[in-house]
Amino acid sequence: MAHPVRKAVVPAAGLGTRFLPVTKAQPKEMMPLVDKPAIQYVVEEAVAVGITDILVITGRGKRSLEDHFDRSFELEYYLREAGRLDELEEMKRIADMADIHYVRQGEPKGLGHAVSVAAEHVGDQPFAVLLGDDIMHQDAGVLAGMLDAFGRLGHSVVALKEVPATEISAYGCAAVRPLEGHLVEIEDLVEKPAAQEAPSNLAVMGRYVFGPQIFEVLSETKPGRGGEIQLTDAIKALAEREPVYGWTFRDGRYDVGNKLDYLRATVELALERDDIGPPFRQFLLGRLAKDLGLPPRG
Ligand code: G1P
């Protein structure tokens, strides 16, 4: 890989209150998209761009994340005895694909605080941050494009996507100066502005590539919106000291913390599968035909 980033940080300490009651007794990161938990897509996205040292920032009630990426000897024994060797290999692959480390956030003091907890593990190196609510389709190439930009420019890069004005208040929002292609330079950032106060409709999506300078800025960042230490505020402060770039993209991102987007992601991913895709497509077409009052499909 042509980029210098070897480590990724995955904040996963949130309570998942947008998806209650399913997240009452299980972490939102374990919500399945077809048959894979959301966090596995995120880890695979990092591995696909050559990042295999991953620090997950966890909190209370997140033990199943660690179990998911650990070996399960009883299960492996059972699958071997049953001759289910493909599944056995897949279970081992999940446990072996990355060096995953865990640290607890302690207090839920915001995304900026969660990232600052990674300082010791990351050290004096660049790193990526991947938020587990944002699932990127493998064809979107967002992280690869951001890492390439970081490798060329040597400054932090944030993923940005246009959203309708009615949705901007759910995101960090960037005022930018266009450069070439996907690249823009960030001039200002506001965390979750009201629609009428938003400087643009470019929203921060949950992928970031930072130099280690962000830790110093985070240590000086005061609580912002919601009384939390906001990563967005730290990036704004960083952009006042040195260039910070945005990498804009359009397609291939799902917010799986949002029920409708979660369903969209599930349907898209199911349709792409070789095994269940064709019968699922038939089911959907039949269902639509019924809604449209068309005769049943033969
Ligand atoms: C967080 C960030 C926000 C960003 C969003 C992307 O918000 O604070 O700036 O736009 O992730 O998903 P959250 O979704 O955790 O409220």
Side-chain angles (χ1 to χ4, degrees):
M1 298 281 155
H3 63 80
V5 178
R6 297 287 163 264
K7 295 186 178 179
V9 174
V10 177
L15 293 175
T17 50
R18 285 195 292 166
F19 234 119
L20 283 168
V22 72
T23 49
K24 187 177 171 211
Q26 67 164 345
K28 63 174 175 174
E29 293 79 12
M30 291 302 291
M31 295 271 292
L33 290 154
V34 188
D35 53 9
K36 253 197 249 182
I39 186 123
Q40 190 180 327
Y41 286 91
V42 173
V43 168
E44 287 176 349
E45 183 189 338
V47 170
V49 293
I51 301 177
T52 52
D53 181 318
I54 297 170
L55 180 69
V56 182
I57 314 292
T58 66
R60 290 178 62 78
K62 303 278 185 175
R63 282 281 299 278
S64 54
L65 297 181
E66 297 185 36
D67 289 341
H68 184 72
F69 291 107
D70 198 0
R71 296 287 292 270
S72 169
F73 291 107
E74 304 93 300
L75 179 62
E76 287 178 21
Y77 176 82
Y78 168 77
L79 291 172
R80 191 175 297 110
E81 290 297 299
R84 293 165 64 173
L85 301 183
D86 290 351
E87 287 160 282
L88 173 64
E89 284 315 305
E90 178 61 7
M91 292 310 109
K92 287 200 215 161
R93 186 190 70 82
I94 294 169
D96 291 342
M97 71 180 151
D99 287 325
I100 307 189
H101 310 267
Y102 303 87
V103 61
R104 284 196 177 210
Q105 187 180 1
E107 286 172 87
K109 290 198 283 191
L111 179 60
H113 177 251
V115 171
S116 73
V117 166
E120 202 180 333
H121 181 87
V122 169
D124 193 24
Q125 298 177 33
F127 65 107
V129 174
L130 290 81
L131 304 189
D133 279 352
D134 292 288
I135 297 290
M136 298 288 182
H137 194 282
Q138 58 188 10
D139 296 345
V142 174
L143 193 55
M146 294 171 71
L147 288 166
D148 178 60
F150 183 89
R152 284 186 290 124
L153 302 164
H155 290 286
S156 297
V157 185
V158 175
L160 296 174
K161 179 181 181 307
E162 274 187 28
V163 300
T166 50
E167 292 173 22
I168 197 74
S169 63
Y171 296 99
C173 175
V176 303
R177 185 169 67 86
L179 300 173
E180 94 282 343
H182 289 272
L183 268 187
V184 297
E185 185 169 345
I186 293 188
E187 296 187 322
D188 194 12
L189 274 177
V190 201
E191 178 69 0
K192 302 192 175 138
Q196 59 281 11
E197 277 151 31
S200 77
N201 59 349
L202 272 178
V204 176
M205 296 297 158
R207 298 293 179 272
Y208 312 80
V209 181
F210 291 122
Q213 302 85 333
I214 194 71
F215 292 124
E216 193 191 321
V217 181
L218 276 168
S219 70
E220 295 159 5
T221 302
K222 302 272 175 295
R225 195 169 173 88
E228 296 187 334
I229 297 177
Q230 297 292 350
L231 184 58
T232 304
D233 293 346
I235 303 168
K236 177 183 160 80
L238 183 66
E240 283 160 13
R241 300 185 189 183
E242 59 174 66
V244 174
Y245 297 98
W247 201 89
T248 57
F249 72 102
R250 284 178 193 279
D251 299 317
R253 175 259 179 191
Y254 302 100
D255 173 8
V256 296
N258 168 297
K259 289 172 194 174
L260 189 57
D261 236 25
Y262 173 80
L263 289 172
R264 286 194 192 110
T266 304
V267 169
E268 294 279 4
L269 292 167
L271 286 172
E272 286 174 10
R273 290 268 294 245
D274 292 337
D275 52 354
I276 56 171
F280 186 49
R281 181 180 304 274
Q282 284 308 312
F283 162 75
L284 288 177
L285 289 171
R287 185 69 186 70
L288 275 181
K290 196 169 153 213
D291 273 10
L292 294 168
L294 300 175
R297 294 166 54 89

